[in-house]
Structure formats: structure tokens, C-alpha cells
Amino acid sequence: MNRRDFLRHILMAGASLPAISWPEHMDLGFRFSEVTNAAGIHFRHNSGAYGGKLLPETLGAGCAFLDYDADGWQDILIVNGMDWPEHKRQRTTLCLYRNNRNGTFSDVTREAGLDVEMYGMGVAIGDYNNDGFPDIYVTCVGQNRLFHNSGNGTFIDVTHASGLGNRHAFSTSALWFDFNCDGLLDLFVCNYVKWVPEHDVFCSLDGTRKSYCTPEAYRGETCWLFRNRGNGTFEDVTAHSGIFDTSSKSLGVAMLDYDLDGWPDLLVANDTQPNKLYRNLHNGTFKESAVEAGVAFSSDGKARAGMGVDAADFDNSGADGIAITNFDNEMIGLYKKMPGGEYQDIAATTDVGLVSRNTLGFGCSFVDVNLDGQLDLVVANGHIDETVRFIRSGVGYAQSPHLFLNQGKARFSDVAHNAGTEFSRPKVGRGLAYGDFDRDGDLDLLVTTNNGPVHLFRNDQFSGNRSIRFHLVGTKSNRDAIGARVQITCAGETQSRMVKSGSSYLSQSELPVTFGVKHHDRVDRLVIYWPSGRTEEYKNILTKRAYKCTEMRGMVFQYGF
Amino acid sequence: MTASNSFRSMISMTDRSPTPALLLGLVLTLLTVVTYSWYITLQIDGLKSVQRDFAGRNRKDSLQLLRAQNDLNSLALAMRDMLDNEGPYPLTAWSAQFERIHADLDDALRLDEQLAIGHRTPEQREYLSNSLQQFWDAVNRAFRLAEEGKEAEARYQVKLSLLARQQALSITVARLLVENTESEEQTALYVNQIYNRVQRHAYMFLAGTLAAILCTGLYLTFANRKLFNRLSVLSAQRSELAQKLISTQESILRHVSRELHDEFGQILTAIGAMLSRMHRQSPAAAGLCNDLLELRDITQSTLEKVRGLSQSLHPVSLDEADLGTTLDWYLPNLERQTGLAISFEKSGVCSQLESSVRVHVYRIVQEALSNIIRHSGSPRAWVRLNYQPGSLVLEVEDRGVGMGTKLSHHGIGMTAIRERATLLGGTVEFLRPLEGGTLVRLSLPLIKTEADRDETSAPTLPEGPASMALTR
């Protein structure tokens, strides 16, 4: 290579850096294959759009992996909207798909009693009554719904019986967590803005045709916190707990342990308003600490359009990092916990910031897609306005997702274009959840689209990397062990995961935790920090297996893969 | 004006060296650049100061005021929510939200206080501080009423008092923002004036610098011209001196040679004749007779040596015969004396050269061969004399070590060759043949002249190209 060739290669490399950060020909060691139709999932979201451009139409909807029949196989729940009252064309409901344990699913919505028409937005899964069967909370535009799992494959709407009725709002994401560590799951619900169809504001991009408004046109709405009384009813503790804030316009919520005190804290992503970090004060109240933690604003002091959010130990430091998806031209916020306790947005110094400048992100999850022991970041993208291409060149309505592969030392590369043809195809993505529906030890993805189909992507591993999975069952703690932190040490590397509800956008992923361990055949040490305060430790555990860990009763082998 | 007079006048003209003037110019230029740099640094510092102390600070202050304005708007929204509250929450639910906004507003106004010291009147500060205090007092009263269960009274308080006070505060902050904007405009104007001044001065400095460069250039041109003139005179003087030296040397050699031949030769011949006569007239005493014979032989030998010395100093044939003949006599003698094998070639139609030309060419041959003997280490040499129409080419070649890069360090011999060639109006080249060694090539133009020079006089040359009589 002569000097001219060398300089040419350098220039080409420099020019292509933003677009191509991973060689096209490189084998990632895994691939996401679309198996939606083959799995028998034929769902299409109904936003109710009829041309009125009503605000909720462009924001839904979510999805979830759950094991509703407690058979050890992950089932799927997909939230749906409905036609607006004056524009009825069809009847649509959320859909529950039972896992047939052979790679296919059956639609059991009607049998389960869930064929209820509602304008659904998000979903949170949690066993609030500790009966061993996960219950479903669906957020809606209007009245949210709580469906109690009766344990025989059917659900009962207990919204009003539980004290959650008579509340009408534009709710978005929600999560179950035990904020007072009493062994009962409490409920946190995000509300977006004060909106009713009758008072929808006329917004226009071209001055003539109506378009979807930004949230600045509406007043904010406080999030809700409901304490589980333990008798099947809930108490609204929003005001008492310090959560009450009518300025918020919340779309996403994630639980994390910000101050590493073992008590669950909350991070709420707000749209055009500062994000909120509610630090648990252990006395049933929270202190809002987003500004001092450095996650309220962007690094230039701007309140961004926060959509989805997830928190996880992506740098294996033991502390939870945070990812928040934002509007296009705002970049994803990728926050790393610094030694001083505050967060620093490192997105701009990695591919994450550069690549996400032209995408509008919604669902986001830290997932170890290649089982290398480093949490990667998956982001579902899609714009809210079909005409965006006329306003911003290079930004489309349908957008490819991001798959930021974690290369260690806070370095990420977007490899979505190489992870599967259907996976990388542009779509109007919204919800995102992960779960191992085929029990092969790796994590599959479920992506919803606005007013479009859902996509189930099966993770196919070729690298030979192994994993280990733990399904936690609380006894003193809440039965789902939500809030438990699981820590493994393998070949000198320590990873940690939290059992959590919520996160992403309007969605919920499976509750079992999965660790990638590369080619190692055993984990040296496993430590479980239960929400009750109890700590359990296990040693020398074989990988390529799933285990069930019951609080105070030990660990048993479930299945291998 | 003779050359010497011209030289003297030139020396007097160039007595003053340009170096001091140039050094003075350099010092002045450096001083100007340093002064201008200092001036620019001063202006940049001034700009930095303005931007830091006024523009930057003003901007930061405006950001804090915007933050305060945003807080006041949030308060207004919260109060509207309180009044429109249809939810299950009591008014006290808003207290945490108010506390958060209170903390942020206080922080923003504290920073504003620090940043706006320069252009905020004490009355403005006092008014803002009092207004805020009254607002928060009213907020506390409203929440106390709400805590006491007097929701309606609290709402009335919010509606009647808090909203109006919030509005007044918002207007106050908005006025401060307007003042900041005006101050920013004035600062921008001031900065613009500085830029314009610096730009004007920069143009002046540029014009001055260009003028200085022009003057220096003219002065250097003039000084250079004077230096070259001086060098020309010096060169002419050197040539003149060399000519005189050579002429003097040739004159002396010719004179000594003639004296040896004519005077000492005659004396020794007479002594030899007298000794022969005395030998014939002396008695036959063996001793005296033998002494006279021996003395006569010594005298004869001395006579031959004197004649030989005379020839070597200035061969008679140089005055009486052509150059080829002289070389025919000289080269075999040199071969015998030094052992150097010399091949001599003559070509072309032999021209009758002026005596002075013959002398110079002969001396060049002598010098070239002497160099070969002393420096080249070559056992053999070639001398080629080529008469061409209008020119004469003489070549002396050897196969020795060659002169290489030491050409300019060969001493007076080479210089003498060059000078003689110059005197003859010819050129001399010192070449390195492919086979190695050195080739000295002398090329002389043969120009027919009208003047019939006196061949017996010292060889002097007219100014200009070498001239010689061409006779056939």
C-alpha cells in the first residue's frame, strides 16, 4: 500500500465511521430470525386512527412476556387500542398467546377472559396477591384495568374491586414493585398529559392539515403510586409518598437501586419535561433527586423528549446504568454511574449518541443478546409523524431498530443491520420486550409497531456462548422477587441483574434473569439479594441450565438447554 | 580616468557599509512588530474581558432568569391544577411540588444575584426579594389553610393572592430579561467598535509594513549595485596586477637569460680562448700545461651550463622560431630531466604567433607539465598542439589521480594558467577524461591585428581579447 492508498483508506474510514462501525462481513455469532407468523401470532395494532390525528393514536402500544399459566414457558401479551367511539369500524382487544412449548403460540384471549375492548397503551405484569400466578395491569386512555389471574387460565377484571377504578387518565407505562418492602407488590403508573378527545388541540405542521401535537400543547399529569394493602385492594399514596407532580408528562418508568441501599428507586422518563428520579427514603416516601443525580436534563441543560427507559448494570460495575430514548435530533441518553454517585451521559462519546441522532426511540432494553457477559442495548425506533420525511431529510416514519453491541469499557457499536434482514427492516416501532420463549437459553425479542403488526424475533446463537438462567420465587419477599438483585461471578468477571417489572416503553420483559457466560461451563459464585434483606449464596453452578431459586428454600434445577 | 583612479574613487564611494543601516532597519521592524503584537494582545484581552465580564456573564444571567421564569410558569400551572382539581388529591399534595420549584427558583435567583451584580439597582433587588418573600408567605398560608381542612379558603387564597403575585413576579423577571437583552445589545455594539478599531489599525500597520519593505528593498538594491561595482573594479585591478606581475616576471627572465647568454657567455668564451692560447705558449712543463687544460675544460663546462640555464629561462627559439619548434626542444629535455614520458603531437597549419603569445602558451605548457610531475603521479603525459582556422587549441593530458574537488586549491600554478589564458583572451578548461587523470585544454582565438608589436619588448597585452599576429 502506497501513501496515497493509505490516505484514501484513512479518509474512507473517517467518512464511514458514523454509518458503519462494525464490519459488514463480520459474523456476530447470533441472528434474530422473524418467526411471528410461524409461531402463529397474527396481531395487528389498532390505533383507532381515522384522520382526526388524536394524540394517543401515535403512541401505542406495549407488549409483555409472562408465564400466565405458570408452566415455565413464556407466553405473550400484546396490548391493543380500539376505534374511537364516533368512528367504530371493528372490535379489537388485547391478545394473550399461550406458549405451545414447540415454538408456536395459541391465541387464548377469549378463553382467558381478556377480550375486553379498551384503548390500551401499556402493560405491567406482577403477582400482586402472591398466589403464584401473574396478574395483568393494562394502562389505557381512560380507565386502566387490573386483571386478576385466577390460576385456571382465566382472568377477572378486578379494577373496581381493587380500588383502582374511577380514574380516567392518559396512562402509559406502569410497573409493579415493592416500594415499602412488605412483601407485597405495589403499583406505579405513569400518566402522560391531561387529554380527552373533546379537548384535543389542533396542531399543524403545514398550517392547513391537522397533525399530532407535541406534549407542550397539554398540561402534565401526576404519576400514581398505589400501595398494596394485601387484601386485594390498593391505596393511593401518590401525594403522601412525594410522587405527586402535575408537571410531569411521563411515558416510561424503570426501577433501579440508585443509591445501592437495597430499596427500589424509580426513574421516570418525561416528554419535554425533566426526568424524575425518585429515591426511596425507606419510610414510604421518595425524594426527587434527578437534578442532583444528573439525569433530569441533557448535558446541555435541556429537558428532552424522554420515551422509553431501562436501567441495568451494563458496565458490570455493580451499579445500574440508565438508557433513555428521546426524540430524533436529541440522541439516546446513556448514563453511566460515576464514582461520585452522579450519572454522566456517555452517549455522545460512543456510537450510541452518534447513531441515534436521526432516530426517534421508544422501547429500549439492556439485553445480553450474544451471551458474552456484557449487556447490550436494543432500541425500537419509529417516528410519530408520517410526514416527517417532508420536514427532516434523513428521518423516516418507519425506522430501523438499534442493536448496540457492548464491546466493553463503555464502547458500543450498532450492529442491527447485520443481525437479521427482518430485524433491521424499518418499522414504526413502539413496545419492546425480551424473553426466552423457546427455552434455548438466549433471549428473544418482541417488538410492537404503531397501527401495524407485532414482530417476534427468535435469537439464534452460532457462537457457542453459554448462559445460565434463574427464576426467583420469593417467600418472605414478594413472590415474583421483583427488586431482587442477582449477582454471579464467572472467570473473575462479576455481573448483576435485577428482577424487575416495567422498563422499556409500555412493555414488560420476562421475570427470570439470564446471564451470558461465554464458553464457561460453570459459574463460580451466585449471590441473591432478596428484597426482604436476606442474602443467599451458591457456588460452582453448571451453566446451560435454568434454575428455580426459592427464598429460604434453595435452588433446584429446572431444565437444560 | 585610469583604472587606479577609478578604483580609488570607487573605494571612497563605498566606504560606508550597508550593514548598520540594515541592522537599524531590522531593529526598527522588530520593534514595530513587537509593539503591534502588544497592541493586538491588549485589544484581545480587552475583548476577552468584555465577552467574559459582560457578554458571557449576561448570557449566563439570562439563562438563570429564564430558569426562574420557567419555575414561575410551573408554579402558575400548578396553581391552575390546584384550582381545577377534580381528582382525589387534596391541595396539600402539591406542597412537595411547590417545595421543589421553590428550591429551584431560589437557586436560580441566587445565581442571578451573583451574575447580575454590575447592572442591577439596589431597588430592583429589594423589590424582587420582597415580592418573592411575600409570594412564599402567601403559599405557606394557603397550605396551612389546606392542612387545617379549609380547602375552600385555601383555593380562594390561591385564586385571589397567589396567582396575582406570581403574575407580578413573572413580569418582574421578564423586565430583567429585557434589560439583559438591551445590555447584551450594547455590549455587542461595544465589541463591534473594538473590532472596527483593530481592523483600522491593522490596515495602517499593514500599509506601514509594506512601505518599510519597499524602502528596504530599494535600499538593498542600491547597496547591492554599489557592491557589484566595487567587485568589478577589484576584479579589474586584480587582472591588471596579474598582468603586470606576469610581464615583470617574463621581462626579468628574458633579461637574465640574455645577460647570461650575451655577457657571461662572451666572458667565458674569451677566458676559454685565452686559456687555449696560454696552453700553446707555455713551456712544456707538464704540471702547468695540465693545469691550463683542466682550467679550460672547466671554463667550457661552465659556459655550456650558462647557455643551458639561459635557454631554460627563456628559450631563444621562442623569439626566433615557432611554438612547435620550441616545444620540440623543450619536451625532450624535460623527459631527460624528470623521466616523464611525453608524447607531443602537432596538427593543423602552423601559424606564426606573436612572441608574447608564444611565451604565454609555452609557460602554460610548463606549468601544466610541472603539475603533472608534482601531483598526478602519472608516468606519462600527452601534449597536443592543434592549429585550427582562427584558433589554437593546446591540450596537456595525463593519466594520474586527477584534480577532483581540489581544483580550486592547486595554488598559484593554476591561477597563473587562468590568468595567462585570460590575458590571451582565451579560455582554459580543467577536464577529467573518461580514462582518468586530467586534461588541461587551452583555446585561443587567433585574431589578425593591425599593430605590429615589438617582439622584443616585455609581453604585455592590450585590454580585451588576446591578440596575436597571424602570419603564414
Side-chain angles (χ1 to χ4, degrees):
Chain A
M1 181 184 288
N2 59 30
R3 189 176 62 175
R4 182 174 297 174
D5 288 342
F6 176 75
L7 290 173
R8 187 164 54 83
H9 282 121
I10 291 288
L11 287 171
M12 286 175 65
S16 62
L17 192 61
I20 303 170
S21 51
W22 193 277
E24 288 280 353
H25 60 275
M26 186 167 283
D27 181 15
L28 298 174
F30 69 94
R31 184 183 301 275
F32 282 113
S33 306
E34 165 126 36
V35 294
T36 316
N37 289 330
I41 297 174
H42 307 288
F43 175 89
R44 189 168 185 89
H45 175 246
N46 176 22
S47 70
Y50 64 91
K53 300 279 183 181
L54 302 180
L55 183 62
E57 292 171 1
T58 191
L59 293 172
C63 58
F65 276 110
L66 75 166
D67 184 9
Y68 86 99
D69 50 2
D71 65 347
W73 291 79
Q74 292 295 323
D75 310 301
I76 287 175
L77 178 76
I78 308 167
V79 182
N80 208 347
M82 61 179 281
D83 286 341
W84 298 106
E86 304 297 323
H87 303 274
K88 295 290 286 185
R89 293 167 298 183
Q90 57 182 325
R91 186 176 188 276
T92 49
T93 69
L94 56 78
C95 286
L96 177 65
Y97 290 94
R98 192 187 67 229
N99 194 325
N100 296 329
R101 309 177 191 180
N102 58 2
T104 65
F105 291 82
S106 297
D107 187 344
V108 293
T109 311
R110 183 179 294 276
E111 298 95 296
L114 293 175
D115 58 336
V116 182
E117 203 172 25
M118 66 187 97
Y119 201 99
M121 292 295 294
V123 60
I125 310 294
D127 183 9
Y128 74 92
N129 56 354
N130 289 333
D131 63 353
F133 293 95
D135 307 299
I136 300 171
Y137 184 77
V138 182
T139 61
C140 299
V141 176
Q143 174 65 59
N144 298 338
R145 306 296 183 99
L146 176 62
F147 293 99
H148 170 242
N149 190 335
S150 55
N152 59 2
T154 63
F155 290 84
I156 302 168
D157 187 341
V158 294
T159 309
H160 290 280
S162 63
L164 298 175
N166 298 320
R167 289 172 173 274
H168 293 268
F170 187 165
S171 297
T172 50
S173 295
L175 63 76
W176 295 96
F177 75 134
D178 184 7
F179 78 93
N180 50 5
C181 290
D182 62 352
L184 298 168
L185 285 178
D186 309 299
L187 181 63
F188 183 89
V189 182
C190 291
N191 289 313
Y192 191 38
V193 291
K194 287 186 170 66
W195 182 89
V196 288
E198 297 77 23
H199 296 149
D200 189 73
V201 178
F202 182 92
C203 298
S204 177
L205 292 172
D206 57 10
T208 54
R209 286 172 297 181
K210 190 173 189 298
S211 61
Y212 292 113
C213 289
T214 54
E216 286 98 330
Y218 301 96
R219 285 156 65 183
E221 179 72 284
T222 183
C223 297
W224 294 330
L225 178 60
F226 299 105
R227 185 179 69 82
N228 189 339
R229 292 192 181 101
N231 60 358
T233 65
F234 292 85
E235 177 192 4
D236 185 344
V237 293
T238 309
H240 172 71
S241 62
I243 295 291
F244 188 86
D245 176 17
T246 53
S247 69
S248 289
K249 299 172 182 178
S250 309
L251 285 175
V253 60
M255 58 182 294
L256 74 167
D257 188 1
Y258 159 64
D259 44 12
L260 299 174
D261 60 356
W263 290 70
D265 309 306
L266 292 176
L267 181 70
V268 179
N270 284 322
D271 191 357
T272 69
Q273 290 291 314
N275 300 316
K276 295 285 193 295
L277 174 59
Y278 293 107
R279 191 157 63 84
N280 196 325
L281 300 181
H282 313 171
N283 59 1
T285 65
F286 291 83
K287 183 178 187 303
E288 205 286 299
S289 309
V291 174
E292 61 193 73
V295 295
F297 303 96
S298 66
S299 51
D300 54 356
K302 185 188 166 200
R304 292 188 280 194
M307 307 289 180
V309 58
D310 195 14
D313 180 15
F314 69 80
D315 55 354
N316 290 336
S317 64
D320 288 330
I322 298 166
I324 302 176
T325 52
N326 296 302
F327 218 73
D328 67 276
N329 210 27
E330 288 186 334
M331 300 197 296
I332 290 171
L334 181 63
Y335 296 92
K336 177 179 160 66
K337 188 91 174 281
M338 305 310 286
E342 77 283 1
Y343 281 100
Q344 184 179 341
D345 189 350
I346 60 169
T349 59
T350 67
D351 259 10
V352 175
L354 201 62
V355 173
S356 63
R357 276 184 313 180
N358 289 330
T359 53
L360 199 172
F362 278 94
C364 62
S365 292
F366 285 109
V367 192
D368 186 359
V369 294
N370 55 355
L371 305 178
D372 66 346
Q374 309 263 12
L375 281 172
D376 312 299
L377 179 62
V378 187
V379 180
N381 296 313
H383 213 277
I384 59 168
D385 200 313
E386 294 171 23
T387 61
V388 65
R389 63 182 181 280
F390 301 126
I391 304 158
R392 286 204 61 203
S393 60
V395 180
Y397 180 51
Q399 299 176 351
S400 297
H402 293 312
L403 172 48
F404 294 108
L405 218 53
N406 189 341
Q407 296 173 302
K409 296 179 180 173
R411 288 181 296 124
F412 290 85
S413 295
D414 188 4
V415 298
H417 60 278
N418 210 23
T421 310
E422 291 303 320
F423 176 75
S424 62
R425 196 181 297 281
K427 47 186 81 73
V428 189
R430 292 292 183 265
L432 169 68
Y434 61 84
D436 183 13
F437 80 86
D438 51 359
R439 300 217 316 192
D440 61 352
D442 53 33
L443 293 172
D444 312 299
L445 299 177
L446 186 63
V447 179
T448 62
T449 62
N450 180 253
N451 219 25
V454 70
H455 299 275
L456 178 63
F457 295 108
R458 189 185 64 219
N459 189 338
D460 298 326
Q461 292 285 324
F462 310 115
S463 65
N465 282 351
R466 299 171 172 220
S467 67
I468 188 167
R469 285 166 57 82
F470 301 103
H471 174 208
L472 271 61
V473 178
T475 53
K476 191 179 174 188
S477 308
N478 68 83
R479 180 147 184 156
D480 281 341
I482 288 173
R485 182 168 287 276
V486 185
Q487 188 180 75
I488 67 160
T489 303
C490 180
E493 184 77 18
T494 300
Q495 307 175 47
S496 67
R497 307 271 191 276
M498 180 185 271
V499 180
K500 60 191 178 187
S501 166
S503 283
S504 190
Y505 174 74
L506 307 177
S507 305
Q508 176 157 336
S509 298
E510 64 173 8
L511 291 177
V513 292
T514 304
F515 291 91
V517 292
K518 294 183 183 169
H519 293 273
H520 300 293
D521 59 359
R522 58 188 64 231
V523 166
D524 302 324
R525 185 167 173 258
L526 162 72
V527 184
I528 302 173
Y529 301 94
W530 295 92
S532 62
R534 180 182 170 81
T535 302
E536 293 177 2
E537 182 174 345
Y538 304 90
K539 289 186 177 171
N540 207 19
I541 310 155
L542 289 174
T543 59
K544 292 197 77 171
R545 286 167 167 74
Y547 298 92
K548 183 176 182 179
C549 305
T550 307
E551 187 178 16
M552 296 190 291
R553 290 178 199 163
M555 183 171 70
V556 294
F557 168 78
Q558 266 191 316
Y559 57 90
F561 38 81
Chain B
M1 184 185 286
T2 62
S4 58
N5 288 339
S6 163
F7 178 69
R8 274 195 297 276
S9 64
M10 190 58 72
I11 290 295
S12 64
M13 278 174 63
T14 55
D15 268 346
R16 283 174 53 201
S17 166
T19 308
L22 285 173
L23 283 174
L24 180 66
L26 183 63
V27 168
L28 282 174
T29 308
L30 286 174
L31 276 174
T32 311
V33 169
V34 167
T35 308
Y36 189 72
S37 302
W38 172 78
Y39 169 76
I40 289 291
T41 309
L42 208 65
Q43 295 299 321
I44 288 171
D45 285 346
L47 269 176
K48 275 183 187 169
S49 170
V50 167
Q51 285 172 339
R52 185 182 58 244
D53 294 343
F54 294 96
R57 193 169 175 166
N58 208 47
R59 204 169 299 123
K60 285 178 185 172
D61 185 38
S62 294
L63 285 175
Q64 294 307 321
L65 287 173
L66 284 170
R67 182 182 168 191
Q69 190 74 290
N70 185 53
D71 286 335
L72 289 169
N73 289 339
S74 299
L75 283 172
L77 284 173
M79 286 187 284
R80 281 171 56 190
D81 288 338
M82 288 165 82
L83 295 176
D84 300 344
N85 182 25
E86 295 169 357
Y89 302 107
L91 290 186
T92 51
W94 271 269
S95 62
Q97 196 171 334
F98 269 67
E99 279 170 23
R100 276 199 295 272
I101 298 172
H102 189 175
D104 196 67
L105 186 59
D106 280 355
D107 191 47
L109 293 175
R110 182 182 54 78
L111 289 171
D112 163 69
E113 187 81 6
Q114 293 170 4
L115 292 165
I117 287 171
H119 52 276
R120 193 67 50 80
T121 64
E123 291 77 18
Q124 284 177 313
R125 293 171 204 279
E126 191 179 351
Y127 176 73
L128 186 60
S129 174
N130 289 342
S131 299
L132 274 170
Q133 189 59 49
Q134 288 168 7
F135 175 78
W136 291 119
D137 287 345
V139 167
N140 290 336
R141 277 199 301 278
F143 278 121
R144 265 201 305 276
L145 286 171
E147 280 169 9
E148 291 165 3
K150 300 172 183 173
E151 287 260 333
E153 284 182 52
R155 281 176 201 277
Y156 186 72
Q157 182 80 12
V158 170
K159 195 173 181 179
L160 188 73
S161 174
L162 285 185
L163 278 173
R165 289 180 194 280
Q166 181 275 335
Q167 191 67 25
L169 277 169
S170 191
I171 291 168
T172 305
V173 173
R175 281 182 184 150
L176 294 176
L177 272 167
V178 170
E179 282 179 18
N180 271 13
T181 307
E182 287 171 353
S183 175
E184 206 163 319
E185 283 172 2
Q186 286 173 0
T187 307
L189 194 66
Y190 180 58
V191 167
N192 203 33
Q193 284 172 353
I194 294 177
Y195 275 121
N196 287 338
R197 188 170 66 237
V198 171
Q199 190 181 30
R200 197 167 54 247
H201 292 169
Y203 284 142
M204 286 165 64
F205 174 77
L206 189 63
T209 307
L210 285 173
I213 290 170
L214 188 65
C215 291
T216 308
L218 289 171
Y219 177 73
L220 277 175
T221 307
F222 179 68
N224 275 343
R225 187 178 293 171
K226 283 200 296 186
L227 278 173
F228 281 119
N229 287 342
R230 189 177 171 186
L231 279 174
S232 299
V233 171
L234 285 172
S235 179
Q237 288 293 322
R238 188 190 55 76
S239 284
E240 190 179 336
L241 187 63
Q243 285 176 32
K244 286 184 175 174
L245 280 172
I246 290 168
S247 297
T248 307
Q249 183 193 21
E250 287 302 327
S251 177
I252 292 168
L253 288 174
R254 186 190 295 264
H255 176 73
V256 171
S257 171
R258 189 168 292 169
E259 285 299 312
L260 285 172
H261 186 270
D262 295 349
E263 296 299 325
F264 289 95
Q266 292 300 324
I267 292 167
L268 288 171
T269 304
I271 292 170
M274 287 174 69
L275 286 172
S276 294
R277 195 166 58 244
M278 284 171 69
H279 174 260
R280 282 194 302 274
Q281 292 171 359
S282 64
L288 181 61
C289 189
N290 287 339
D291 288 346
L292 286 172
L293 280 175
E294 190 175 350
L295 192 59
R296 191 195 61 189
D297 291 343
I298 290 169
T299 305
Q300 185 61 36
S301 172
T302 304
L303 176 61
E304 287 172 2
K305 283 182 180 173
V306 166
R307 282 180 177 161
L309 184 60
S310 171
Q311 279 289 93
S312 66
L313 287 176
H314 186 85
V316 178
S317 57
L318 270 179
D319 298 329
E320 298 171 349
D322 63 274
L323 184 61
T325 307
T326 307
L327 292 177
D328 280 336
W329 165 81
Y330 170 67
L331 295 177
N333 279 343
L334 190 66
E335 272 186 323
R336 279 196 304 276
Q337 290 165 8
T338 62
L340 179 69
I342 302 172
S343 299
F344 178 48
E345 296 172 22
K346 284 184 286 188
S347 58
V349 179
C350 177
S351 301
Q352 182 61 47
L353 303 175
E354 277 189 5
S355 170
S356 60
V357 176
R358 291 198 298 271
V359 169
H360 284 308
V361 176
Y362 175 71
R363 295 296 179 208
I364 287 171
V365 173
Q366 272 189 314
E367 189 58 48
L369 289 171
S370 171
N371 281 340
I372 291 170
I373 293 159
R374 282 187 293 168
H375 304 298
S376 74
S378 171
R380 188 169 182 79
W382 290 265
V383 177
R384 290 182 282 272
L385 190 63
N386 183 13
Y387 291 96
Q388 294 177 357
S391 67
L392 169 68
V393 177
L394 169 72
E395 290 181 345
V396 181
E397 188 176 353
D398 67 76
R399 293 284 180 271
V401 296
M403 287 184 290
T405 56
K406 296 179 180 176
L407 187 63
S408 57
H409 305 291
H410 267 67
I412 196 150
M414 307 294 277
T415 308
I417 291 174
R418 278 205 192 89
E419 286 303 327
R420 288 182 190 278
T422 306
L423 284 172
L424 297 174
T427 57
V428 67
E429 298 170 275
F430 298 93
L431 306 171
R432 182 171 183 81
L434 290 174
E435 298 85 355
T438 305
L439 170 63
V440 180
R441 176 181 290 150
L442 171 71
S443 303
L444 293 180
L446 299 180
I447 302 167
K448 194 181 285 184
T449 60
E450 297 294 332
D452 187 16
R453 297 181 185 283
D454 181 6
E455 291 186 5
T456 58
S457 65
T460 57
L461 284 171
E463 292 180 6
S467 60
M468 54 202 74
L470 179 64
T471 55
R472 293 180 185 274

